Amino acid sequence: DAKTTQPPSMDCAEGRAANLPCNHSTISGNEYVYWYRQIHSQGPQYIIHGLKNNETNEMASLIITEDRKSSTLILPHATLRDTAVYYCIGTYSGAGSYQLTFGKGTKLSVIP
Amino acid sequence: SAVISQKPSRDICQRGTSLTIQCQVDSQVTMMFWYRQQPGQSLTLIATANQGSEATYESGFVIDKFPISRPNLTFSTLTVSNMSPEDSSIYLCSASLGSNYGYTFGSGTRLTVV
């Protein structure tokens, strides 16, 4: 798995966009970037993943730089319920045989 | 995505005893994994639960301490054996339907060893 680096904590005002960065300079060409979040005392929740192209779903957008050395998770309108630890993970995604290696993540605090 | 039921949700156990945690998925899944999350820490992978064969353990985890079963494609158990207070953690089960679906996690088992 690729080593990822995330800021330990971030604040975001409620209703504003939350932009969470992740550096993964050692990611290989066929490793995907996955984002999960863990709300206090719950199991991690899958958010989004991508390989090269930017991705969007009902929860968030994922912007991956052209050189794939970094990415940004965007929560377009943060709410208090988005307060959580967000994990960026680089891993292979083939035939269901991949593992997740969790780093320390970014603790996002959404402020009223 | 798959839905995982994990039980018990929490337990308080005496040192030297064992606890078996169950993980039930609502659909057949290719991969199932067990994680440990110590207080204030991130998740650490314990092992991959393989259907029909022995689990694959990560460095620092051994079968005698954490025996795992996976009798079919929807169910797995993790046993924490001969517990000590250092085993107090949250234990999480996860599963995947395949490469395009991400992982789903159970809600975890909060274990306290006294």
Side-chain angles (χ1 to χ4, degrees), chain A residues 29-107:
Chain A
N30 53 353
E31 279 188 293
Y32 284 70
V33 179
Y34 282 80
W35 283 84
Y36 286 77
R37 72 181 182 183
Q38 187 175 26
I39 298 171
H40 182 63
S41 298
Q42 298 181 19
Q45 178 188 22
Y46 166 79
I47 301 173
I48 198 167
H49 75 283
L51 182 62
K52 296 180 181 179
N53 299 321
N54 298 337
E55 302 288 344
T56 296
N57 62 21
E58 64 278 4
M59 289 183 66
S61 295
L62 174 61
I63 308 298
I64 303 174
T65 58
E66 190 170 344
D67 62 8
R68 301 206 334 117
K69 292 182 184 296
S70 65
S71 62
T72 301
L73 177 75
I74 301 173
L75 307 178
H77 305 287
T79 71
L80 298 178
R81 287 174 294 182
D82 293 320
T83 293
V85 178
Y86 286 77
Y87 297 99
C88 165
I89 301 167
T91 191
Y92 297 97
S93 177
S97 60
Y98 61 102
Q99 298 177 347
L100 298 178
T101 301
F102 286 81
K104 296 185 184 299
T106 295
K107 184 174 182 180

Side-chain angles (χ1 to χ4, degrees), chain B residues 4 6 8 35 63-64 70-71 73 80-81 90 97-98 102 105 113:
Chain B
I4 295 179
Q6 188 175 335
Y35 288 82
I63 188 171
D64 290 345
R70 189 172 174 198
L73 292 175
V80 186
S81 302
I90 298 173
L97 288 174
F105 284 80
V113 184

Side-chain angles (χ1 to χ4, degrees), chain B residues 60-109:
Chain B
F61 298 96
V62 296
I63 188 171
D64 290 345
K65 177 67 176 178
F66 298 101
I68 288 171
S69 77
R70 189 172 174 198
N72 55 52
L73 292 175
T74 64
F75 185 77
S76 179
T77 67
L78 168 75
T79 298
V80 186
S81 302
N82 189 24
M83 288 183 286
S84 68
E86 292 71 33
D87 295 319
S88 297
S89 293
I90 298 173
Y91 292 85
L92 295 129
C93 167
S94 70
S96 175
L97 288 174
S99 59
N100 292 323
Y101 296 93
Y103 275 114
T104 298
F105 284 80
S107 54
T109 296

Side-chain angles (χ1 to χ4, degrees), chain A residues 3-21:
Chain A
K3 177 176 170 57
T4 60
T5 304
Q6 299 177 252
S9 64
M10 291 181 64
D11 292 340
C12 178
E14 187 179 15
R16 303 296 295 269
N19 298 294
L20 291 89

